[in-house]
Amino acid sequence: MLASLKLILLLLLALGFAQALQHNYIDEADEVADAELLVAAANSGALWPLPQKVKISDVSIKLNSFSFQITDAKESTAGQSCSLLQDAYRRYFEYVFGNAKRHEPGKSRRTGPSELTELQVWITSPDSECDGYPSVTSDESYELMVDQPYAVLKAPKVWGALHGLETFSQLVYEDEYGAKSINSTTISDFPRFAHRGILLDSSRHFLPIKVILANLETMAMNKFNVFHWHIVDDPSFPYLSRTFPQLSQQGAYHPYTHVYTPADVKMVIEFGRLRGIRVIPEFDTPGHTQSWGKGQTDLLTPCYSGSKPSGTFGPVNPILSTTYEFMSQFFKEISTVFPDAYIHLGGDEVDFSCWKSNPDIQKFMDQQGFGQDYKKLESFYIQKLLDIVATTQKGYMIWQEVFDNGVTLKPDTLIHVWKGNKEKYQSEMANVTSSGFQTLLSSPWYLNRISYGQDWQGHYKADPQDFKGTEAQKKLVIGGEACLWGEYVDATNLTPRLWPRASAVAERLWSAVDVTDITDAFNRLSVHRCRMVERGIPAEPLFSSYCPHEYKGV
Ligand SMILES: *[C@@H]1O[C@H](CO)[C@@H](O)[C@H](O)[C@H]1NC(C)=O
């Protein structure tokens, strides 16, 4: 009965497409995807991002909330004591069964034949890293064997176990009566790139903590592992600094309601850690610093109009020793607040006009023998900043301009490529890597840019190792980041704008290089999008279709 109703629904849907196709507003890519749509809606248990090696058999096994449990394997080194894992077991139990009641310990479990009763999680390395932080060198690999009567998830470290739990939850599907099933499966998996990031911008619009946490949760569903927190910029300074509280007091949109307190920041970092996600803050200087100037007098360069100060300010003033004293103290605090070895120092889009107008700067330029080359002044500043940060931070990331302008960089600096069309960024990636630097790509993944149609396909096709270079050069590409700049984004539209479009980037950065079939991707991503929706994430649709469990609002 239910099945025939579904069939009628599908037929109605198909009729709808036939009609829609008569209109010209559906572009070519949509038509290709269209043919696959009915398959997508019917198929479940689809994996995203696709694991490196998967073998799913036709043997299906039932599981139910009363008998199934996720447990530590006896051999595991992590044991009951790893709260990160216990927390993840609870989370994934709920993702698999919704709010269904879980088995109460002590009660006897009713188990039927051909039923999956247990997922045993086995951390194989002596150091599980349960209490540590993920890093760029973390082992994220795992192996998953689903068979009756129990499934085994093996990982050297907790980070791989977290990914394996996500994959396990994706394998579970609902039959037409709503019963949960999983097929007997073998998976061996690891990421193609070590750095798989999302940039969120909390300066142009303040993002409530709740939205940031929801995003971290969704990142884990997509196996992203870096939250690049573009926390301050020209419009506002919401970071509450213990050393310089006046920065947010004066520079935030509101000194109490629109700030991130030390407790907020701690919560974001811990929430990320529990999901294997690093939090890398960006404190962009010397440009993009208008909001810094409100609370820190003499930090920014006074601009001149003719022979008089105009009352406006430009980039950080690079000629004062007070600037460097401030930066030393500020970044010392940052290194104690954010545990990650890396920090993003920005360095993009420095506007030279204010520096040019200022007579003191001109005098300094003469003394230093910089002539009229303001790139040299910028380099002078960045050089000093890098020296300061090198004393407190293991590694740093910078936007590509710093490299382009010829600043001397420590050999382990990570260059973030963000400019240009395909031709431009490919030659930049080639240049950066031929100079021996590690690099990250973002140019094709500015998800704040939107257009009509299935733009995820373009994001999906871009590949960070697709440029002219040697094998050694390709190895210097450690990943990429999808960026969501905040001019037109706040809590009202962040999540649907980012997801599932960022999922396309997630698969490019995780799965094997030859996973490029756009039709297969469409089918799996459609299911994955519905999965995010079912988990309460308002991820926008890819195209005309439906989800078994539609989004019901908040
Ligand atoms: C799972 O098993 C069922 C039949 O038992 C089969 O129809 C289905 O195709 C299998 N799923 C996958 C993804 O192979």
Side-chain angles (χ1 to χ4, degrees), residues 162-178:
L162 290 171
H163 294 313
L165 285 165
E166 174 60 39
T167 301
F168 176 85
S169 76
Q170 294 190 2
L171 283 169
V172 177
Y173 59 94
E174 242 177 28
D175 68 15
E176 58 202 295
Y177 307 105

Side-chain angles (χ1 to χ4, degrees), residues 43-46 56-61 171 173 182-184:
N43 184 2
S44 350
I56 305 182
S57 81
D58 280 345
V59 178
S60 96
I61 312 168
L171 283 169
Y173 59 94
I182 189 166
N183 286 17
S184 167

Side-chain angles (χ1 to χ4, degrees), residues 35-230:
E36 306 299 326
L37 195 79
L38 298 183
V39 186
N43 184 2
S44 350
L47 301 175
W48 193 279
L50 194 69
Q52 301 287 342
K53 279 197 205 119
V54 202
K55 243 165 77 195
I56 305 182
S57 81
D58 280 345
V59 178
S60 96
I61 312 168
K62 292 264 178 277
L63 62 170
N64 77 69
S65 65
F66 288 105
S67 59
F68 179 77
Q69 54 184 0
I70 307 177
T71 59
D72 296 316
K74 285 193 188 67
E75 305 87 337
S76 185
T77 58
Q80 291 289 329
S81 59
C82 179
S83 62
L84 176 146
L85 285 178
Q86 300 302 325
D87 201 64
Y89 298 168
R90 271 194 295 278
R91 207 160 61 239
Y92 280 104
F93 186 92
E94 266 181 35
Y95 279 148
V96 169
F97 294 110
N99 290 324
K101 253 204 142 132
R102 119 196 5 235
H103 168 70
E104 283 168 39
K107 272 198 183 162
S108 75
R109 293 185 280 154
R110 285 177 285 114
T111 56
S114 177
E115 207 177 277
L116 190 72
T117 55
E118 227 169 288
L119 169 60
Q120 299 185 354
V121 181
W122 183 358
I123 305 297
T124 56
S125 137
D127 177 13
S128 68
E129 295 182 12
C130 174
D131 299 316
Y133 288 93
S135 77
V136 71
T137 55
S138 289
D139 187 333
E140 298 180 278
S141 68
Y142 68 92
E143 280 175 56
L144 180 61
M145 284 131 307
V146 179
D147 209 346
Q148 210 220 321
Y150 52 83
V152 177
L153 168 59
K154 264 192 195 176
K157 309 284 180 187
V158 291
W159 318 119
L162 290 171
H163 294 313
L165 285 165
E166 174 60 39
T167 301
F168 176 85
S169 76
Q170 294 190 2
L171 283 169
V172 177
Y173 59 94
E174 242 177 28
D175 68 15
E176 58 202 295
Y177 307 105
K180 305 287 179 181
S181 300
I182 189 166
N183 286 17
S184 167
T185 300
T186 330
I187 288 177
S188 159
D189 202 10
F190 55 88
R192 179 178 164 209
F193 293 107
H195 186 121
R196 307 177 307 280
I198 295 276
L199 176 150
L200 296 185
D201 168 6
S202 60
S203 172
R204 293 180 174 89
H205 284 94
F206 180 77
L207 301 173
I209 289 293
K210 202 176 147 192
V211 173
I212 294 178
L213 300 187
N215 179 68
L216 289 167
E217 185 73 28
T218 319
M219 283 172 69
M221 296 175 200
N222 290 272
K223 299 189 170 72
F224 274 108
N225 67 354
V226 176
F227 170 37
H228 174 166
W229 195 352
H230 190 86

Side-chain angles (χ1 to χ4, degrees), residues 297-441:
T297 45
D298 297 334
L299 180 65
L300 303 184
T301 309
C303 313
Y304 277 65
S305 158
S307 58
K308 287 198 201 96
S310 67
T312 63
F313 294 88
V316 165
N317 192 336
I319 68 170
L320 302 178
S321 61
T322 49
T323 291
Y324 301 102
E325 284 153 23
F326 166 81
M327 293 296 171
S328 285
Q329 283 190 64
F330 182 77
F331 281 105
K332 195 168 168 205
E333 171 185 318
I334 297 309
S335 74
T336 63
V337 171
F338 293 90
D340 202 86
Y342 281 80
I343 183 176
H344 203 303
L345 295 172
D348 59 322
E349 298 181 312
V350 183
D351 178 9
F352 296 144
S353 55
C354 180
W355 280 350
K356 282 181 188 167
S357 77
N358 182 304
D360 295 330
I361 301 257
Q362 285 165 19
K363 210 190 296 155
F364 183 82
M365 295 277 291
D366 286 344
Q367 284 166 1
Q368 296 288 324
F370 291 165
Q372 285 302 302
D373 189 352
Y374 284 84
K375 282 184 184 170
K376 287 196 174 139
L377 182 58
E378 181 187 355
S379 301
F380 172 86
Y381 167 79
I382 298 272
Q383 209 89 72
K384 293 192 77 135
L385 179 70
L386 295 186
D387 290 343
I388 287 168
V389 173
T391 65
T392 53
Q393 212 77 33
K394 281 202 208 73
Y396 40 71
M397 302 166 60
I398 38 113
W399 295 109
Q400 70 178 75
E401 284 98 317
V402 180
F403 167 81
D404 295 344
N405 292 346
V407 176
T408 311
L409 298 165
K410 279 203 305 176
D412 58 351
T413 305
L414 188 45
I415 318 279
H416 198 164
V417 173
W418 68 277
K419 286 169 96 167
N421 57 19
K422 190 168 178 185
E423 204 183 311
K424 287 235 175 70
Y425 73 68
Q426 285 181 334
S427 76
E428 180 79 5
M429 296 291 279
N431 287 341
V432 168
T433 53
S434 73
S435 304
F437 289 107
Q438 289 194 320
T439 183
L440 272 183
L441 182 64

